[in-house]
Amino acid sequence: MATLGALKKHKVTIVGSGNWGTTMSKLVAENTKANPTLFEEVVQMWVYEEEITIPKESRHYDAGSELANKPQKLSQLVNSLHENVKYLPNITLPPNVIANPDIVDACKNSTILIFVLPHQFIARVCDNLKGNIVPYARAISCTKGVDVSEKGIRLLSESIGVRLSIYCGALSGANIASEIAQEKYSETTVAYDPPPLDSRNPTPKGSPTSSQVDLIAPSKAIPSSRSARLQPLPSEYPPLSHENVRRLFHRPYFHVRMVSDVAGVSLSGALKNIVALAAGFVDGLGWGDNAKAAVMRVGILEMVAFGKSFFADSVHTSTFTEESCGVADVITSCMGGRNFRCAKMAVQRGISIDEVERTELNGQKLQGTSTAYEVNSFLRSMGKEEEFPLFTAVFNILEGKAKPEQIPDLIEPKD
Amino acid sequence: MATLGALKKHKVTIVGSGNWGTTMSKLVAENTKANPTLFEEVVQMWVYEEEITIPKESRHYDAGSELANKPQKLSQLVNSLHENVKYLPNITLPPNVIANPDIVDACKNSTILIFVLPHQFIARVCDNLKGNIVPYARAISCTKGVDVSEKGIRLLSESIGVRLSIYCGALSGANIASEIAQEKYSETTVAYDPPPLDSRNPTPKGSPTSSQVDLIAPSKAIPSSRSARLQPLPSEYPPLSHENVRRLFHRPYFHVRMVSDVAGVSLSGALKNIVALAAGFVDGLGWGDNAKAAVMRVGILEMVAFGKSFFADSVHTSTFTEESCGVADVITSCMGGRNFRCAKMAVQRGISIDEVERTELNGQKLQGTSTAYEVNSFLRSMGKEEEFPLFTAVFNILEGKAKPEQIPDLIEPKD
């Protein structure tokens, strides 16, 4: 639609090159090649440069070569081998993925920035990019999580948008990167509520109501100040409608559903990790599949309630109960995700999650535990702990103030 | 509420004594004892009489006894041992469960009949009961399934109601009987849309709208003719409001949510078995948790669409997406249920489900396969196969006309 007459094409950069970032580069590059009227074929992938030696188990390891066991730059390896041997081994990348260690150069003139970075690097990378991108660029955050402080709660997509003064949507789903890299079938949800001039399509298909960007700044969240500064996409570019954004991500093995609920998609990705801990606790008790399914169901409804309470203007129940980012991601996370497995292990061994993190994860913190603490400190400050009995139970179990066995009592509705 | 002044108490009969029926007797009897103003303490459990010998592994087997290895009547064994050694071994039943092999006597003067029978026995049992129950009795069907014929589709609760000229609700959830019998935590959904005079409470708490009984006779389903004949519950009895029905089922380990959507609850219990087959096919391919979660999500939405298409007046989306009978039961069924396991095995071994049924189940048919065939014949007669691509894909795979590998393509929305 509406691509005839477009003089320019969208340049796409993947900001990040870990397991998920490299996978995203692969599928996006397949799509830029398949949609030459919309996108420039070359996809830049920003690589946090490091020196690595090709692992001995790699198909590219050649003991006879003079480069064997010699450290080489990761970006150069990606570009010569068309593989990220460190973070996504054994997956061939399309030749139109170009690794670039210079963040500013990688994003220069890009109209679409796809953020796939660990949470803690986002602020620094945005600081480097600030002022060095086209002012009408649009972003999609594939990183899951929320920023919580005394001031309130902010979606990661919001943080990116505010720091760069651009619009930022979100992608989240039941997505294990290595499975997608192998082209095993999965689904995802992309939330993109396009600024009206971008889509040239006032009511995008499948979107409840098109809305202004500042809709995602809810009453209880940190207010956004950027909508006034948002620059429209120049008309020489193909519009960034739901249809065209979908073409950037959708593959035969990666089915995309577009929604407009950025807050719902972002919250799902963060809150499901608390639910996975609860499911792990109950499963660790040996209570069986009924109990686990019950906890998952209650968890999904608390995710809905959280969205409705604090992002009332923009959140739709169906994002949590009907989309891949909601119900399907909860299912995947509670079948075998890391939060689930560690919580289950803690109960089975009679030790704290803290101890599991120390002994099994080299002290690395689980996403679920940090989110549980952040969400609890936010709920407490709002005086709303009681309205979220499962989230509160998980926090209290982590704190040693409640036991997994109490979960049924704690989450039973009081009449 | 409103129990003061009630002169009579409800007498409760469990119609059925298999694994699930005996479990139901246990928990209902715990509740009749705990709520003496509402219910008569004794709970009758109708037992299809058979002669059994106590299994050697039973805690009640006594090699020295003269009764060892001698066939005894199941009903007498239940009443003397307070255990159903054949169908629910090692679970002690409360002494107020009384097994009764005479269906008419067991239901005499009962105002609440709880049906927990295999699908195929329901018609015959209702024929025996017809004319032998109080005309204002109320029923709850715990049997999952629908009756499909050329005439249309009918809920089992409808079949029971029509055959006995009484009102019939439904109970369904993520409920593995043996786990509940062991008092492991789980949840369930009870749908009861009480005839107005029964509840003496025109808008039951938690119910979207109270409605007449004939609301559950949808346009595309076989019309019900019984509403005219329905007799109100005499005012000497405590009202059968949502609150009082909940007291009959809710336990600390068995959390009940009341809804009014009988069609949604009944359909969930039947249709989830088709979804479980699809999840098993995909899991058998080794496609991982993303793919399985995607199929489950699409399956839940087809369950919603089925309800909305054919039971539009009464079905609520939330019954499928938010209640135990919907999302939670789909999860449980797709984690380890029989339909899931057999479908997975068929794909892994490269054989048909038919062959799995023959070799692993002694030729017994899976609920999912018969439901898939019935639902497909109904959809075909309505010209609606294409609107239910997952249900149709499962049917075609069972028929050998499609392959599990095609599921992603077959369920991809056509734009």
Side-chain angles (χ1 to χ4, degrees), chain B residues 194-262:
Chain B
L197 286 170
D198 284 16
S199 68
R200 281 166 249 160
N201 179 7
T203 43
K205 202 173 146 192
S207 134
T209 49
S210 181
S211 60
Q212 297 293 331
V213 175
D214 55 5
L215 254 193
I216 61 169
S219 51
K220 297 300 186 308
I222 302 170
S224 158
S225 54
R226 74 204 150 77
S227 49
R229 282 177 289 162
L230 201 65
Q231 295 216 6
L233 187 71
S235 60
E236 308 93 88
Y237 285 96
L240 283 178
S241 58
H242 270 193
E243 190 179 335
N244 286 346
V245 171
R246 184 172 177 273
R247 280 171 198 240
L248 190 58
F249 296 105
H250 187 84
R251 297 297 300 153
Y253 56 86
F254 190 63
H255 287 197
V256 171
R257 301 236 307 179
M258 297 295 305
V259 301
S260 297
D261 178 7
V262 178

Side-chain angles (χ1 to χ4, degrees), chain A residues 176 187 250 297 322 412, chain B residues 187 250 290 297 322 412:
Chain A
I176 297 164
E187 292 185 318
H250 188 84
R297 189 194 71 79
E322 299 182 15
E412 176 161 30
Chain B
E187 292 185 318
H250 187 84
N290 291 347
R297 189 193 72 79
E322 300 183 13
E412 176 160 29

Side-chain angles (χ1 to χ4, degrees), chain B residues 17-58:
Chain B
S17 54
N19 187 236
W20 189 209
T22 310
T23 300
M24 196 50 77
S25 299
K26 171 180 176 293
L27 71 88
V28 164
E30 288 165 0
N31 279 328
T32 56
K33 190 174 166 69
N35 292 281
T37 58
L38 297 175
F39 308 110
E40 286 185 18
E41 187 171 322
V42 165
V43 170
Q44 294 275 324
M45 174 170 80
W46 174 62
V47 169
Y48 178 79
E49 193 69 287
E50 50 189 309
E51 303 249 318
I52 66 154
T53 52
I54 297 179
K56 287 209 172 60
E57 60 278 17
S58 168

Side-chain angles (χ1 to χ4, degrees), chain A residues 204-217:
Chain A
K205 201 174 147 191
S207 132
T209 47
S210 181
S211 60
Q212 297 293 332
V213 176
D214 56 4
L215 252 193
I216 60 167

Side-chain angles (χ1 to χ4, degrees), chain A residues 127-315:
Chain A
D127 287 346
N128 289 334
L129 282 177
K130 179 85 190 158
N132 292 312
I133 54 172
V134 292
Y136 46 80
R138 303 295 177 239
I140 302 275
S141 169
C142 302
T143 304
K144 297 175 177 183
V146 285
D147 278 330
V148 178
S149 68
E150 319 82 66
K151 283 189 263 170
I153 191 162
R154 176 172 265 168
L155 311 173
L156 277 194
S157 50
E158 267 282 305
S159 296
I160 294 170
V162 169
R163 283 172 191 278
L164 297 177
S165 305
I166 60 176
Y167 176 77
C168 185
L171 179 151
S172 184
N175 300 143
I176 297 164
S178 54
E179 292 186 0
I180 295 160
Q182 293 169 62
E183 305 191 1
K184 289 181 176 176
Y185 164 59
S186 73
E187 292 185 318
T188 205
T189 313
V190 175
Y192 193 79
D193 194 15
L197 286 169
D198 284 15
S199 69
R200 282 167 249 159
N201 180 7
T203 43
K205 201 174 147 191
S207 132
T209 47
S210 181
S211 60
Q212 297 293 332
V213 176
D214 56 4
L215 252 193
I216 60 167
S219 51
K220 298 301 187 306
I222 301 171
S224 159
S225 54
R226 75 206 149 74
S227 48
R229 282 177 288 159
L230 202 64
Q231 294 215 7
L233 187 70
S235 60
E236 309 93 87
Y237 285 97
L240 285 179
S241 58
H242 269 193
E243 190 179 334
N244 286 346
V245 172
R246 183 171 177 274
R247 280 170 197 241
L248 190 58
F249 296 105
H250 188 84
R251 296 296 302 153
Y253 57 86
F254 190 63
H255 288 197
V256 171
R257 300 236 308 180
M258 298 295 305
V259 301
S260 297
D261 177 7
V262 178
V265 171
S266 302
L267 289 173
S268 293
L271 299 175
K272 58 125 195 190
N273 289 319
I274 309 181
V275 181
L277 289 177
F281 289 141
V282 162
D283 213 42
L285 292 170
W287 282 2
D289 289 346
N290 291 346
K292 187 171 154 182
V295 163
M296 290 163 69
R297 189 194 71 79
V298 171
I300 292 169
L301 294 190
E302 272 189 32
M303 289 164 60
V304 172
F306 192 93
K308 292 274 181 196
S309 295
F310 306 117
F311 296 82
D313 290 339
S314 54
V315 154

Side-chain angles (χ1 to χ4, degrees), chain B residues 60-302:
Chain B
H60 297 289
Y61 181 78
D62 174 3
S65 152
E66 61 176 27
L67 285 171
N69 309 317
K70 208 178 141 186
Q72 299 173 72
K73 290 203 158 78
L74 178 58
S75 62
Q76 288 171 7
L77 276 176
V78 170
N79 288 334
S80 60
L81 303 175
H82 303 293
E83 180 179 322
N84 187 334
V85 291
K86 179 158 185 189
Y87 295 108
L88 193 66
N90 297 318
I91 300 293
T92 303
L93 302 176
N96 53 326
V97 171
I98 303 296
N100 187 338
D102 180 336
I103 180 71
V104 171
D105 188 58
C107 295
K108 193 175 172 190
N109 296 324
S110 286
T111 45
I112 302 177
L113 305 175
I114 301 171
F115 282 82
V116 205
L117 283 176
H119 193 147
Q120 65 270 27
F121 298 137
I122 286 182
R124 185 147 36 103
V125 167
C126 285
D127 288 347
N128 288 336
L129 281 178
K130 180 83 188 157
N132 292 312
I133 55 171
V134 291
Y136 46 80
R138 302 295 177 240
I140 302 275
S141 168
C142 302
T143 304
K144 296 176 178 184
V146 284
D147 278 330
V148 178
S149 68
E150 318 83 67
K151 283 190 263 170
I153 191 161
R154 177 172 266 168
L155 312 173
L156 277 194
S157 50
E158 268 282 305
S159 297
I160 294 170
V162 169
R163 284 172 191 279
L164 297 178
S165 306
I166 61 176
Y167 176 78
C168 184
L171 178 152
S172 185
N175 300 144
I176 298 164
S178 53
E179 292 186 1
I180 296 161
Q182 291 169 63
E183 305 191 1
K184 289 181 176 178
Y185 165 60
S186 73
E187 292 185 318
T188 206
T189 313
V190 175
Y192 193 80
D193 195 15
L197 286 170
D198 284 16
S199 68
R200 281 166 249 160
N201 179 7
T203 43
K205 202 173 146 192
S207 134
T209 49
S210 181
S211 60
Q212 297 293 331
V213 175
D214 55 5
L215 254 193
I216 61 169
S219 51
K220 297 300 186 308
I222 302 170
S224 158
S225 54
R226 74 204 150 77
S227 49
R229 282 177 289 162
L230 201 65
Q231 295 216 6
L233 187 71
S235 60
E236 308 93 88
Y237 285 96
L240 283 178
S241 58
H242 270 193
E243 190 179 335
N244 286 346
V245 171
R246 184 172 177 273
R247 280 171 198 240
L248 190 58
F249 296 105
H250 187 84
R251 297 297 300 153
Y253 56 86
F254 190 63
H255 287 197
V256 171
R257 301 236 307 179
M258 297 295 305
V259 301
S260 297
D261 178 7
V262 178
V265 170
S266 302
L267 288 173
S268 292
L271 299 175
K272 58 124 195 191
N273 289 320
I274 308 181
V275 181
L277 289 177
F281 290 141
V282 162
D283 213 43
L285 292 169
W287 282 2
D289 289 345
N290 291 347
K292 187 172 153 182
V295 163
M296 290 163 70
R297 189 193 72 79
V298 171
I300 292 169
L301 293 190
E302 273 189 31

Side-chain angles (χ1 to χ4, degrees), chain B residues 234-415:
Chain B
S235 60
E236 308 93 88
Y237 285 96
L240 283 178
S241 58
H242 270 193
E243 190 179 335
N244 286 346
V245 171
R246 184 172 177 273
R247 280 171 198 240
L248 190 58
F249 296 105
H250 187 84
R251 297 297 300 153
Y253 56 86
F254 190 63
H255 287 197
V256 171
R257 301 236 307 179
M258 297 295 305
V259 301
S260 297
D261 178 7
V262 178
V265 170
S266 302
L267 288 173
S268 292
L271 299 175
K272 58 124 195 191
N273 289 320
I274 308 181
V275 181
L277 289 177
F281 290 141
V282 162
D283 213 43
L285 292 169
W287 282 2
D289 289 345
N290 291 347
K292 187 172 153 182
V295 163
M296 290 163 70
R297 189 193 72 79
V298 171
I300 292 169
L301 293 190
E302 273 189 31
M303 290 164 61
V304 172
F306 192 93
K308 292 274 180 194
S309 295
F310 307 116
F311 296 82
D313 290 339
S314 54
V315 153
H316 297 279
T317 300
S318 61
T319 308
F320 301 92
T321 61
E322 300 183 13
E323 299 301 337
S324 177
C325 64
V327 57
D329 201 12
V330 169
I331 291 170
T332 305
S333 305
C334 294
M335 285 200 287
R338 212 157 76 138
N339 292 284
F340 170 80
R341 282 182 284 118
C342 289
K344 183 172 175 172
M345 189 185 289
V347 173
Q348 285 175 328
R349 298 191 185 166
I351 57 179
S352 68
I353 286 260
D354 220 46
E355 211 167 319
V356 174
E357 287 171 335
R358 249 196 329 271
T359 56
E360 303 292 319
L361 305 174
N362 291 318
Q364 204 192 333
K365 288 284 164 200
L366 287 166
Q367 274 202 298
T369 57
S370 32
T371 307
Y373 274 88
E374 287 177 353
V375 164
N376 182 265
S377 90
F378 173 68
L379 288 177
R380 217 167 350 158
S381 74
M382 305 293 298
K384 298 246 186 192
E385 271 182 296
E386 282 187 12
E387 291 177 31
F388 297 87
L390 186 69
F391 294 169
T392 304
V394 168
F395 169 77
N396 283 325
I397 292 167
L398 292 173
E399 281 285 277
K401 291 186 209 148
K403 292 188 167 176
E405 290 83 348
Q406 293 173 274
I407 287 178
D409 281 351
L410 294 171
I411 66 179
E412 176 160 29
K414 312 283 176 283
D415 353 61

